[in-house]
Amino acid sequence: MLTFAVSRLLRAGLTILFVMTFAFVVLRLSGDPALLIMSVDAPPEAIAAFRKAWGLERPLWEQYLAYVGHATTGDFGKSMRDGRPAIELVMERVPATLAITLPALALKIGIGIPAGIYAALHRNTFADRLTMAVSVAGFTMPSFVLALVLVLIFAVTLGWLPASGADSPIHAILPIVTLGTAGAAIMARFTRSAMLEVLGQPYIRAASAKGVTWPRVVARHALPNAAIPTVTIIGFMIGSLVAGAVVVETVFAWPGVGRLLVSAVANRDLSVVQAILMVIAAWMVSANLAVDLAYGWLDPRVRGASAGGH
Amino acid sequence: MAMRDSLPAVLPATGIAALARRIAGLPLGVSFAGLWLVAMVVIALGAEFMLPYSITAFDLKARLMPPVLFGGGIAHPLGTDELGRDVFSRLLLSIRMSLLIAFFGTLIATTLGTALGFLAAHFRGRLESVILMAIDFQASMPFMIIALSVLAFFGNCLPLFIALMGFHSWERYARISRGLTLAANEQGYAAAVRQLGAGPGRIYGLHILPNIASTLIVSMTLTFPEIILLESGLSFLGLGVQPPLTSLGNMVGYGREYITRAPWIMLAPAGVIVLTTLSISLLGDWLRDRLDPTLR
Amino acid sequence: MTALLKAVDLCRDYRVHTGRGLFAAKAILRAVDGVSFEIEAGRTLGLVGESGCGKSTTGKLALGLIAPTSGSVRYRGVAMPPTGSPPWRELRRKMQMVYQDPLGALDRRLPVGVQIMEPLVIHGTLLPNEHRERAAAVMEAVGLLPHQFDRYPHELSGGQRQRVVLARALMTEPNLLVCDEPISALDVSIQAQVVNLLLDLQDRLGIAYLFISHDLRVVRQVSHDVAVMYLGRIVEQGEAESLFAEPAHPYTRALVSAIPVTGGGSRRERLLLQGDPPSPVDVPTGCAFHPRCPFEVAQCRSERPKLEPLPGGHPGGRRVACHRVGEPAFRVAA
């Protein structure tokens, strides 16, 4: 178990390094950073001074090492817009993002998993079909469409809820519902297929054949085994919480990391984009790591199987 | 032989009657999905011949006219925007743009991924490790974030944007083609053909590719709607297709400002997005059951 | 006269993970360990042994499908070119393979006729309009009917598929066929037909076979010479007649004694193998067979026996790798 954890930890570190390298390479490929950040008509002396300040005339590998060194300490430079350290700007937005994504996650799990289990246990009934139909809609409807439809109904037509802003907890309702609905649909579909697969296994038939009551079969044999693949999807959802909030935060003018990313991209505020990229990568990798470890704990077979090399 | 008769491709097509019978045999949802997609493709190919109005032609007397069944006139079946421009005309061009991007994006992802998968399986060793690492990386980062950072670094233009969409889900094809090629090399027909003295071109092009094509096609029905959603999401945020070009996501983003007074500007393209992605998913599910029982 | 194919001291290693994770210990699995043999034109060398003893790997090495870790293969005195290189591909015309699983070895998306003609297309032999004629001739030679040309692999029976694989292999008139368990996936009733076909083809076309099988009865029937493998090494080899009549190595004796005899009343030696073959990752010291050998002594545990001519003037170039084979008591003990 220890070597398993260590190898996963190393992999996580490698992925982070990969993201850093990706950002570095893309940054360099995109042209001369001096010209990119300063305006084209800036005086040559100013550009030379900028290069010196950022060490742009040093060899590339030195720049890379310096970059990685800075990035690991959370130093991504200052935002072009207001001159504050980029990482600070990002971190102060994190609570707002969590304020809508965490309740949405609870919604996904709280609705999606029971719905999926129910649909699997009542396969081919009306309830099952309905669950699946709703979940297909959840798959194919983009979040901005769902968001706008909800705005149209609850803000414009009914006037019950505010359409955008972050002035009160009420404002969080529509973003949370938007994020939660789509996620719950995916969760339900996934849980259902995981349950169905487990219910089709010989050991389930064996258990019911030897006289174990059905509720007990479900509780003792089916649910724990279906939990294993479900943990993966939950982990993935936790990992992509921030990424998933990009569109929704923008629609509802919610002051989170996602909206910051969109405006940073629109303004080409590269330090902020890089800081967000690293924060999301670190978040994603930690979530994956947690899932891998949970997997190892839930399913002893995995400890070897997935780490045994290709 | 019974086996042969069950292969639909072997049956001779006896005119329109046979075709009609076959279509009638399809599930209802699949038929609708097929019809909808045919309509979309026709629009994408012939949009300029169908435009009732130029999308720049504005008619200030007919501003924010509702669609035909909601009090508007037949002249503008889907209503007009705040400058009196025809929503229907704009919608046709948007459909073409979104489908074009999704089509080329899917094509690039499939080609790139399959090629990398073949390379990994052919050369093994270090090259394979590098490709596997790239696959892991791509799968572990949400592509939306990757796309946004690339757009931030490189700025935006249409060819770059299409190429970027092509990087979405290439790893799916790389995984599939690598896995199936390894299996084919390990015990099966590919090893046998290689042993006959065939070169890589023949092995991969004439034997492995046709054998894995059905799995790749089924995966394309997953990628295509994903790219539509991704493109429309980015365009909605104003970071995808740039004006004066227009796409479905663009239209929704733009119509959002008139959501209180003229929701049809936003609802028409939104409906097209949902119906199109839904249709492809339905068709894909159906294809998967028919072509590739091994894929869940 | 130089042999058609000569393999000298072939070794093939595989790296395997013994543990888990990034820092797992990697071990070397020596699948084939110092194997040498010769195949004369028009003759059959049978290669026998339990599954996992390295028979199939030896077959692939003989064809140059994989590169040996050390050792060499020579075809008509010329060294095997690197795998996949143009001269290597050219050489495929002269040496071909027949597989255990004919359905797996065929592309199920193409009619078998197209696949039978494929070697001609690959090597550019004959004019394209002659391909079909040649295919028809070869199909007839292996007992396939003309109308089966347009069939798909799944529409044929197992025996017919194996005939297709054989026909494809014969298209370029090879001198050597490596048959890797060619009949073990077939129904018993079909096995004899395919074996007879192989023998018949050898008579008519003068092809040499490397015939790999775990079935001693079949090997006995088709082979001129036999090599017995145990854990990657040849423990005994020689002319088939002599070897089956008087097996010398305890392992061969055990294998031969396990062949069921029909109708005979003659009392034969019964020698039962104990236990399973050890893991090829962890080959026993000395003679690899010693943990299962009833005649094992201290020397067997420490010193690896060499493959040496059998003492006592046997016919057929018999060679055996056993310390105790020269001792009189050894024979009686059975």
Side-chain angles (χ1 to χ4, degrees):
Chain A
M1 188 66 196
L2 188 69
T3 53
F4 172 74
V6 168
S7 81
R8 284 299 140 128
L9 212 61
L10 260 170
R11 252 176 92 130
L14 260 175
T15 311
I16 297 274
L17 192 69
F18 212 85
V19 176
M20 280 184 196
T21 314
F22 167 79
F24 181 79
V25 169
V26 169
L27 186 67
R28 284 306 120 104
L29 275 180
S30 62
D32 189 337
L35 293 177
L36 208 67
I37 287 167
M38 310 200 62
S39 63
V40 186
D41 49 337
E45 307 86 65
I47 291 180
F50 180 89
R51 283 172 193 252
K52 187 135 185 111
W54 289 85
L56 291 177
E57 70 281 286
R58 278 182 288 161
L60 207 58
W61 62 269
E62 254 181 54
Q63 291 185 38
Y64 174 71
L65 287 185
Y67 171 83
V68 171
H70 284 131
T72 37
T73 54
D75 178 7
F76 296 94
K78 294 189 165 66
S79 162
M80 285 163 46
R81 304 282 301 186
D82 52 10
R84 292 173 53 207
I87 194 74
E88 238 180 82
L89 274 176
V90 177
M91 294 320 283
E92 73 185 27
R93 295 288 194 110
V94 169
T97 294
L98 292 181
I100 57 168
T101 50
L102 287 182
L105 182 69
L107 212 60
K108 292 173 199 176
I109 296 173
I111 295 177
I113 291 184
I117 293 175
Y118 185 85
L121 292 177
H122 300 83
R123 200 182 176 182
N124 290 332
T125 60
F126 177 74
D128 178 26
R129 300 248 163 85
L130 186 72
T131 316
M132 284 308 98
V134 171
S135 100
V136 169
F139 262 94
T140 51
M141 185 175 294
S143 54
F144 59 90
V145 169
L146 181 63
L148 291 179
V149 168
L150 290 177
V151 166
L152 201 57
I153 297 172
F154 293 102
V156 177
T157 312
L158 298 173
W160 291 353
L161 294 166
S164 70
D167 304 329
S168 69
I170 306 279
H171 284 85
I173 292 179
L174 280 183
I176 291 173
V177 170
T178 308
L179 284 172
T181 311
I186 295 170
M187 197 74 232
R189 197 181 163 103
F190 201 88
T191 310
R192 175 179 178 268
S193 67
M195 265 307 268
L196 284 180
E197 190 162 328
V198 169
L199 289 176
Q201 295 294 320
Y203 59 80
I204 295 292
R205 259 174 288 141
S208 38
K210 73 182 185 200
V212 182
T213 60
W214 184 242
R216 205 177 147 78
V217 171
V218 171
R220 292 294 302 274
H221 297 278
L223 288 181
N225 282 293
I228 293 167
T230 311
V231 164
T232 319
I233 193 87
I234 294 179
F236 186 79
M237 282 181 165
I238 295 176
S240 51
L241 276 186
V242 182
V246 170
V247 172
V248 172
E249 282 181 7
T250 309
V251 174
F252 293 103
W254 186 263
V257 179
R259 188 154 162 248
L260 179 67
L261 177 59
V262 171
S263 63
V265 170
N267 299 320
R268 305 193 69 183
D269 193 343
L270 299 185
S271 325
V272 175
V273 173
Q274 282 180 51
I276 295 179
L277 194 63
M278 291 316 302
V279 168
I280 290 180
W283 174 261
M284 196 74 212
V285 163
S286 326
N288 284 348
L289 194 65
V291 169
D292 279 342
L293 296 180
Y295 237 85
W297 174 65
L298 276 171
D299 184 356
R301 281 173 309 170
V302 178
R303 264 169 249 161
S306 64
H310 325 291
Chain B
M1 275 178 135
M3 203 84 169
R4 260 196 109 130
D5 293 345
S6 68
L7 292 172
V10 185
L11 283 175
T14 51
I16 296 170
L19 193 69
R21 221 176 313 126
R22 199 175 302 167
I23 289 174
L26 294 178
L28 196 64
V30 175
S31 323
F32 274 118
L35 283 177
W36 175 262
L37 289 178
V38 167
M40 287 303 107
V41 170
V42 168
I43 289 173
L45 292 177
E48 62 266 83
F49 304 111
M50 299 177 207
L51 295 184
Y53 304 91
S54 158
I55 57 161
T56 50
F58 49 89
D59 176 3
L60 292 175
K61 279 176 290 183
R63 281 187 292 175
L64 297 179
M65 289 249 295
V68 65
L69 292 175
F70 299 86
I74 192 78
H76 299 287
L78 290 176
T80 60
D81 64 12
E82 86 291 356
L83 291 174
R85 294 178 298 189
D86 185 43
V87 171
F88 182 65
S89 304
R90 217 176 149 74
L91 186 65
L92 294 187
L93 287 180
S94 299
I95 289 171
R96 162 199 288 208
M97 177 58 74
S98 289
L99 287 192
L100 179 101
I101 291 173
F103 176 78
F104 282 106
T106 309
L107 211 61
I108 294 172
T110 313
T111 318
L112 179 76
T114 309
L116 285 175
F118 281 167
L119 283 178
H122 187 79
F123 290 104
R124 309 299 307 263
R126 200 152 295 168
L127 182 69
E128 186 180 34
S129 315
V130 170
I131 292 175
L132 284 174
M133 258 182 82
I135 290 176
D136 275 356
F137 167 69
Q138 170 100 11
S140 68
M141 278 296 279
F143 189 72
M144 182 82 167
I145 301 299
I146 298 182
L148 280 172
S149 15
V150 170
L151 288 173
F153 290 128
F154 285 102
N156 194 347
C157 62
L158 190 62
L160 175 80
F161 187 64
I162 294 178
L164 182 61
M165 293 300 101
F167 274 86
H168 174 263
S169 83
W170 63 268
E171 89 280 3
R172 180 181 291 152
Y173 301 94
R175 273 198 186 128
I176 292 173
S177 60
R178 173 180 166 270
L180 294 179
T181 306
L182 285 183
N185 276 335
E186 205 53 50
Q187 17 89 17
Y189 56 92
V193 176
R194 193 170 105 96
Q195 192 280 130
L196 291 175
R202 169 170 282 270
I203 300 174
Y204 290 100
L206 257 56
H207 289 281
I208 296 184
L209 198 57
N211 272 282
I212 68 174
S214 60
T215 314
L216 293 178
I217 289 170
V218 168
S219 305
M220 286 168 90
T221 66
L222 296 174
T223 300
F224 197 93
E226 282 169 10
I227 293 186
I228 292 186
L229 293 181
L230 184 68
E231 174 270 317
S232 54
L234 288 169
S235 298
F236 172 81
L237 296 173
L239 302 171
V241 175
Q242 300 295 316
L245 297 174
T246 173
S247 83
L248 293 169
N250 249 348
M251 264 185 97
V252 179
Y254 163 84
R256 179 183 151 212
E257 293 169 30
Y258 301 95
I259 191 165
T260 46
R261 285 184 292 158
W264 54 87
I265 302 177
M266 168 224 120
L267 285 175
V272 172
I273 294 172
V274 173
L275 280 177
T276 308
T277 50
L278 186 65
S279 298
I280 300 172
S281 304
L282 277 176
L283 215 61
D285 272 353
W286 177 77
L287 264 182
R288 186 173 330 178
D289 294 343
R290 315 236 38 202
L291 287 179
D292 198 86
T294 58
L295 211 81
R296 248 200 322 152
Chain C
M1 171 188 153
T2 52
L4 182 68
L5 192 87
K6 186 175 165 89
V8 179
D9 213 13
L10 287 179
C11 294
R12 171 73 190 193
D13 295 342
Y14 288 100
R15 297 166 73 84
V16 288
H17 296 259
T18 49
R20 269 126 203 196
L22 219 54
F23 308 105
K26 291 188 180 72
I28 302 267
L29 183 161
R30 178 148 281 199
V32 173
D33 188 2
V35 166
S36 304
F37 57 84
E38 286 181 21
I39 304 175
E40 307 280 345
R43 284 171 68 91
T44 302
L45 172 65
L47 196 56
V48 293
E50 289 162 298
S51 53
C53 73
K55 308 187 294 273
S56 290
T57 309
T58 306
K60 287 181 185 161
L61 286 169
L63 283 176
L65 295 179
I66 50 176
T69 308
S70 66
S72 69
V73 176
R74 290 178 168 268
Y75 174 79
R76 298 217 151 134
V78 180
M80 180 68 64
T83 310
S85 64
W88 179 87
R89 299 218 308 254
E90 181 62 25
L91 197 58
R92 296 307 99 198
R93 297 158 58 147
K94 295 295 158 206
M95 43 177 70
Q96 286 287 316
M97 180 133 179
V98 176
Y99 303 86
Q100 175 171 7
D101 170 21
L103 186 59
L106 293 168
D107 188 333
R108 49 190 82 194
R109 303 232 154 210
L110 291 173
V112 296
V114 173
Q115 301 190 56
I116 290 174
M117 295 192 299
E118 194 163 13
L120 299 183
V121 182
I122 291 170
H123 294 290
T125 349
L126 302 178
L127 295 171
N129 54 13
E130 293 164 334
H131 289 175
R132 187 137 192 163
E133 223 171 283
R134 167 91 182 131
V138 174
M139 281 175 71
E140 197 190 335
V142 299
L144 286 169
L145 299 170
H147 74 90
Q148 288 166 333
F149 187 90
D150 294 316
R151 287 287 154 82
Y152 286 86
H154 66 263
E155 297 171 334
L156 299 177
S157 71
Q160 287 166 340
R161 286 176 204 143
Q162 195 57 290
R163 286 170 199 269
V164 169
V165 171
L166 207 50
R168 178 171 70 177
L170 292 175
M171 285 298 274
T172 53
E173 300 180 312
N175 301 319
L176 173 68
L177 280 190
V178 172
C179 305
D180 188 358
E181 305 267 6
I183 59 163
S184 38
L186 303 179
D187 287 347
V188 180
S189 55
I190 310 292
Q191 288 185 351
Q193 290 178 19
V194 174
V195 167
N196 289 334
L197 176 62
L198 286 171
L199 291 173
D200 176 49
L201 289 170
Q202 187 166 54
D203 279 349
R204 283 194 285 159
L205 307 172
I207 306 173
Y209 293 132
L210 175 59
F211 193 95
I212 300 168
S213 179
H214 64 272
D215 185 341
L216 262 76
R217 270 180 309 164
V218 180
V219 170
R220 181 179 212 169
Q221 194 185 347
V222 300
S223 305
H224 301 101
D225 301 292
V226 173
V228 181
M229 280 186 82
Y230 187 77
L231 283 181
R233 293 173 197 155
I234 292 183
V235 294
E236 179 161 13
Q237 71 188 123
E239 221 164 66
E241 276 299 306
S242 157
L243 187 141
F244 280 106
E246 274 184 84
H249 194 282
Y251 180 59
T252 319
R253 284 161 67 184
L255 290 181
V256 171
S257 79
I259 303 179
V261 245
T262 43
S266 63
R267 280 179 51 85
R268 293 191 318 163
E269 165 187 66
R270 285 295 285 162
L271 198 64
L272 291 177
L273 277 181
Q274 307 149 355
D276 294 319
S279 156
V281 180
D282 191 18
V283 176
T285 55
C287 172
F289 187 59
H290 83 254
R292 299 169 79 189
C293 184
F295 310 106
E296 171 246 345
V297 291
Q299 190 192 12
C300 301
R301 270 166 264 152
S302 56
E303 193 183 322
R304 187 208 286 200
K306 291 193 184 68
L307 191 63
E308 281 168 336
L310 186 64
H314 283 265
R318 297 280 303 279
R319 293 159 76 83
V320 66
C322 179
H323 292 304
R324 303 200 57 200
V325 73
E327 300 172 23
F330 176 64
R331 300 255 116 208
V332 184

